[in-house]
Amino acid sequence: MKCIIGGKIITKDAVLENKAIIFDKNIKAIVDQSSINLSEYDVFDAKGNYVSPGFISTHIHGCMNCDTEDGSKENLNTISEHLLKTGVTSWCPTLCTVDMPTFNKVLKTVREAKKENSFSKIIGLYLEGIFLSKTKKGAHKEEWLKNPDASLVIENKDIIKIVICAPELEGAEEFIKAVTKEHIKVAIGHSNANYEQTKEAINAGATDTTHLFNATSPLSHRDPGLPGAVLTDNRIYTELICDNFHIHPALYNLVYNLKKDRLILITDSIRPAGMPDGEYIQGGLHVTKKGAECRLDDGTIAGSMLDLNKGVKNVKENSNIPLYDIINAVSLNPAKMLGIDDKIGSLESGKAADIVIADQDFNIIKVFIDGK
């Protein structure tokens, strides 16, 4: 049996001191540190640093010059190994819009990589591509976009856990009803939908919002659009890219105050993340990385260069959101959205011992996955 002492333990509703976490493969208990005999445990001293649940990265394409679209198990392992260094213990490889041969290759590869789970644990595929609005396609190749096709998703329901659908597309409502009936989560985004169309998608069963404000209709006082619909409806979760570039940090408080436990922080990082500035190919398109920015040739933002632990730091420094709720936004909230919060997402008895020790700036010191 193992235990962690001397840390500031971040639970789902508090930051605790003078406590110890006892665990093996699963978390056993959080107890008063003074109440245990340390000689009975394999002891790890957090030395005053934060102890939190492992982070869950639901929306990430790639990093380190590797991407989900590569359809390479080796590249997925490279991403997964890097994620461990950022505190991510579970993740959803995210696929942009690709041609169908690549689509089938990627699904096969993610299935194989999930069985091995060599580093950070793969939950399943986030299918961002294919069913997007052409007017809000962002860094997705238009010629590969399609109208919603439920059969394509349902026949791969063993590995597709989330799929995006723009609410204004023909057949969107029927698509959402069909795939959610099969326990696949639907996110809305890359969309020019108005308020009413967005509400119809939520009523049909959509439960997540892809990188709010980015590649969506705008929020206006006379036409609230997609942002207005999701910000005022507590049935749906909302992703934010927390790199201080995609979203002005002044909005962190605003979105949190409206969404609370429906807020999910993401990176949406792509191939050039963690790499030198320069030119890369992403989703069949030429992109240029310059610092925290990565853009298409026409200036369109292509994705982020962010690590999730740095996103936590950004929100911590630019908001008055309680620290435990910032951590919930990268752990418990995504676990609830995915319907796996009985297994991971918080430091509660019986859940997997996915634990992160991090310093005050959320640089990662140590990571445990299933107690290892």
Side-chain angles (χ1 to χ4, degrees):
M1 197 74 71
K2 303 170 184 175
C3 76
I4 299 173
I5 63 170
K8 300 172 183 175
I9 300 174
I10 304 173
T11 69
K12 63 183 180 179
D13 53 12
V15 179
L16 307 176
E17 298 191 50
N18 302 313
K19 301 286 186 178
I21 300 181
I22 300 172
F23 63 99
D24 48 23
K25 185 176 181 180
N26 298 313
I27 295 170
K28 299 302 181 182
I30 297 176
V31 300
D32 289 336
Q33 188 171 307
S34 60
S35 69
I36 62 174
N37 183 353
L38 295 181
S39 65
E40 297 177 356
Y41 299 93
D42 187 2
V43 178
F44 299 86
D45 188 349
K47 298 180 180 179
N49 291 296
Y50 290 120
V51 181
S52 83
F55 303 160
I56 302 171
S57 188
T58 58
H59 189 155
I60 169 176
H61 297 270
C63 59
M64 309 304 291
N65 206 24
C66 298
D67 196 277
T68 302
E69 69 178 4
D70 299 337
S72 162
K73 190 162 57 175
E74 292 73 22
N75 287 9
L76 285 175
N77 282 338
T78 297
I79 298 167
S80 186
E81 184 177 15
H82 176 77
L83 288 177
L84 278 185
K85 300 172 186 177
T86 70
V88 172
T89 54
S90 298
W91 67 298
C92 293
T94 303
L95 183 61
C96 62
T97 303
V98 294
D99 57 45
M100 292 314 298
T102 302
F103 173 83
N104 291 322
K105 178 184 178 183
V106 168
L107 264 62
K108 179 177 182 291
T109 304
V110 174
R111 284 187 181 98
E112 294 172 353
K114 182 181 178 184
K115 290 177 183 177
E116 295 181 8
N117 274 331
S118 301
F119 301 102
S120 182
K121 296 183 283 190
I122 292 176
I123 299 167
L125 186 80
Y126 188 138
L127 180 56
E128 181 175 9
I130 306 181
F131 313 129
L132 315 180
S133 161
K134 291 181 179 180
T135 61
K136 293 292 183 180
K137 63 183 183 297
H140 292 256
K141 208 164 184 177
E142 185 171 328
E143 64 191 77
W144 293 333
L145 297 178
K146 301 177 181 293
N147 277 331
D149 180 353
S151 62
L152 179 66
V153 176
I154 292 170
E155 67 188 17
N156 293 291
K157 66 180 181 179
D158 65 305
I159 196 62
I160 297 176
K161 299 303 177 187
I162 319 175
V163 57
I164 292 180
C165 180
E168 71 271 30
L169 295 180
E170 182 180 352
E173 186 174 350
E174 294 75 15
F175 171 88
I176 295 169
K177 289 178 178 178
V179 300
T180 54
K181 187 177 180 181
E182 299 295 330
H183 308 291
I184 301 163
K185 304 298 181 180
V186 174
I188 53 176
H190 282 279
S191 167
N192 204 35
N194 60 29
Y195 177 90
E196 290 75 20
Q197 290 168 324
T198 305
K199 291 292 284 189
E200 288 173 2
I202 298 171
N203 291 338
T207 54
D208 189 27
T209 312
T210 301
H211 45 53
L212 183 64
F213 300 120
N214 294 113
T216 72
S217 49
L219 174 64
S220 168
H221 59 299
R222 291 195 182 92
D223 182 6
L226 185 152
V230 302
L231 286 172
T232 56
D233 194 317
N234 203 40
R235 292 174 294 174
I236 190 163
Y237 289 83
T238 298
E239 301 173 0
L240 281 187
I241 304 174
C242 41
D243 61 357
N244 295 349
F245 167 60
H246 279 76
I247 300 292
H248 191 288
L251 291 179
Y252 297 155
N253 279 326
L254 184 150
V255 175
Y256 168 75
N257 288 336
L258 290 168
K259 298 306 295 184
K260 299 294 185 182
D261 63 351
R262 294 297 190 270
L263 175 62
I264 296 175
L265 304 182
I266 65 166
T267 67
D268 193 24
S269 70
I270 59 175
R271 182 186 308 280
M275 297 297 293
D277 288 355
E279 300 181 355
Y280 299 85
I281 298 296
Q282 178 75 32
L285 299 170
H286 178 263
V287 299
T288 301
K289 175 185 182 296
K290 186 177 181 181
E293 301 183 20
C294 191
R295 296 180 182 267
L296 301 180
D297 292 341
D298 65 2
T300 301
I301 299 173
S304 95
M305 302 294 101
L306 182 69
D307 287 328
L308 196 53
N309 61 318
K310 299 304 181 186
V312 170
K313 178 177 183 283
N314 289 340
V315 177
K316 179 173 176 280
E317 291 179 344
N318 291 280
S319 76
N320 56 17
I321 302 172
L323 180 58
Y324 57 81
D325 265 345
I326 297 174
I327 296 302
N328 285 340
V330 294
S331 55
L332 184 58
N333 299 352
K336 284 183 175 179
M337 187 273 290
L338 290 165
I340 54 176
D341 57 299
D342 60 326
K343 299 177 177 67
I344 60 174
S346 59
L347 300 177
E348 294 180 90
S349 177
K351 294 189 180 183
D354 296 346
I355 305 170
V356 168
I357 301 177
D359 69 14
Q360 303 305 301
D361 290 325
F362 279 88
N363 298 303
I364 305 304
I365 298 169
K366 187 176 286 291
V367 174
F368 298 85
I369 292 186
D370 294 329
K372 297 179 182 178

